Amino acid sequence: MASRAGIALLNLLGRLPLPVLRALGAWIGRLLFVLAAPRRKVALRNLDLCFPDVPESQRRAWARESFEAFCQTFLDRGWLWSGSEALVRSRVKLVGAVQELEGDTPTIVFAPHFYSMDAGGLALPLNTGREFTSIFATNPDPALDAWFMGGRQRFGNVRMLNRADGVKPIIACLRKGGLLYLLPDMDYGRSDSVFVPFFAMPDAATIPSLSRFARLGRAKVVALYSRMTPEGYVAELTPAWENFPTDDHVADTARMNRELEAAIRTMPAQYYWVHKRFKTRPEGQPSVY
C-alpha cells in the first residue's frame, strides 16, 4: 500500500509546472544530503578518489548537487512515466548522431548511470521503431517493479530482460538488428570483472560486457549521455566508436571508462556517485570505504 500511495503521489506531483517540481526536488535533495549520512559519505569518498586534485569545497558542492539531481530526476518520473506522449516529447530531446539509429545494423547503446538515464531510455523508443532491449535488476517490491517496468516500456517496442535471463536473448536481439541499451559502469562484484583505471583509481572492478556483447552480436557501439536541463532532458548520441570492439576485452573496457570519464567531466554532479563504485578491490587490498 505504501508503494502504491507513493507512486500515486509522484504521478500527482508530475502535473506541477516543471520549475516548481524541480525546486521541490532540489529542496528534498539538500535535506537528504544532511540526513542520509552513509550515502553522503560514499559520494564524498568517490569524488575524493576520482578527483584528488580538485579542491575539497568543489567536491562537496558536486556531492550536494548530486543529491539534488537524484531527487529531481526521481520526482520527474511522475510525468516521464504517466504524462502524455506530447508532454514527454516536448521535454525530452534526442540530439547528436541520431542517424546511427537508422537501418538494421546491430547496435549497442552504452548508457552509463547519469541520473537522467531513464529519460534517455525513453528518448530512444520515441525516435526509432527498432526493437529495443534493456537489462535491469528486478525490484523486490512488486508494486515498484511493475512501476519501473511499465514506465520504461511505455513507448516503442521495448523488452526488459532480467540479468538472470542470461546472454542468449541479448545476442539474439542484436543479431536480428535490434538495439541494446546497456549500463555496465557500476561495480557488480568480482565475478567476471576486470580491474581497469577509472579517473585516478587504477583498479576499478568493471564488467567487460560492452566489449563482449559487441563482439558476439557483431554490433557497433554508440554512447548515450543523458543530461537534465531546466527545460527537461537532452540525450546526446555519439557517433559509432571506431575500432571497437577489439580482440582485447580488457583494453576495450579501459577505453569504455575513458569515454565515460570525458562525459562525466561535462556534468560531474549528475553522475551516480552514491554507489560504492570501488567496493570490489583486487586480492589483498583493503576497502577504500
Side-chain angles (χ1 to χ4, degrees):
M1 288 295 293
S3 298
R4 291 186 176 88
I7 292 168
L9 177 60
L10 282 172
N11 291 342
L12 184 62
L13 291 174
R15 300 179 183 180
L16 292 173
L18 188 57
V20 175
L21 189 63
R22 290 282 175 80
L24 176 61
W27 180 83
I28 296 172
R30 289 192 291 270
L31 183 63
L32 279 182
F33 186 70
V34 175
L35 299 179
R39 287 297 164 183
R40 181 184 70 242
K41 291 177 181 178
V42 169
L44 289 169
R45 182 58 172 154
N46 282 335
L47 289 164
D48 177 43
L49 292 169
C50 290
F51 300 97
D53 297 329
V54 171
E56 181 182 357
S57 59
Q58 179 62 78
R59 296 198 304 264
R60 190 172 184 86
W62 283 344
R64 184 177 60 253
E65 292 166 16
S66 182
F67 272 69
E68 294 176 14
F70 171 81
C71 292
Q72 289 171 319
T73 55
F74 189 83
L75 292 185
D76 278 351
R77 288 187 175 97
W79 59 266
L80 277 169
W81 291 349
S82 68
S84 68
E85 180 176 338
L87 175 67
V88 176
R89 285 186 179 276
S90 71
R91 293 179 177 176
V92 179
K93 305 299 182 184
L94 183 66
V95 301
V98 182
Q99 71 277 2
E100 297 286 1
L101 300 178
E102 298 172 359
D104 57 2
T105 301
T107 303
I108 298 177
V109 180
F110 170 52
H113 282 76
F114 290 100
Y115 291 124
S116 305
M117 61 184 177
D118 277 312
L122 291 185
L124 289 176
L126 281 172
N127 288 276
T128 179
R130 294 174 64 179
E131 183 179 357
F132 176 30
T133 300
S134 189
I135 307 168
F136 284 92
T138 301
N139 191 289
D141 185 319
L144 288 177
D145 190 60
W147 182 56
F148 278 107
M149 295 302 106
R152 289 164 175 160
Q153 293 177 287
R154 66 178 308 213
F155 300 123
N157 181 16
V158 178
R159 180 172 60 156
M160 303 297 297
L161 292 176
N162 191 293
R163 289 193 185 95
D165 294 333
V167 172
K168 287 185 178 180
I170 298 170
I171 302 305
C173 172
L174 283 172
R175 290 186 175 178
K176 288 190 298 182
L179 296 171
L180 172 63
Y181 191 73
L182 192 64
L183 303 88
D185 58 310
M186 297 283 96
D187 185 337
Y188 293 108
R190 189 174 303 279
S191 179
D192 295 327
S193 290
V194 296
F195 290 95
V196 292
F198 185 56
F199 284 107
M201 289 294 285
D203 45 20
T206 311
I207 55 173
S209 56
L210 184 64
S211 175
R212 288 175 172 168
F213 288 165
R215 189 167 58 254
L216 290 171
R218 298 187 284 273
K220 66 180 181 181
V221 170
V222 301
L224 183 72
Y225 303 128
S226 301
R227 182 190 304 268
M228 182 176 61
T229 69
E231 296 78 26
Y233 296 91
V234 173
E236 183 172 3
L237 269 174
T238 70
W241 292 2
E242 296 183 359
N243 303 315
F244 193 98
T246 69
D247 293 331
D248 186 341
H249 68 276
V250 176
D252 286 347
T253 305
R255 177 184 173 182
M256 180 192 81
N257 279 357
R258 291 195 301 272
E259 298 280 355
L260 175 55
E261 288 174 26
I264 290 173
R265 290 183 191 279
T266 71
M267 45 178 165
Q270 295 199 32
Y271 190 62
Y272 201 77
W273 295 115
V274 295
H275 166 74
K276 288 186 177 180
R277 180 61 184 86
F278 308 107
K279 62 185 177 183
T280 302
R281 307 301 301 135
E283 290 290 346
Q285 291 196 18
S287 171
V288 296
Y289 299 102

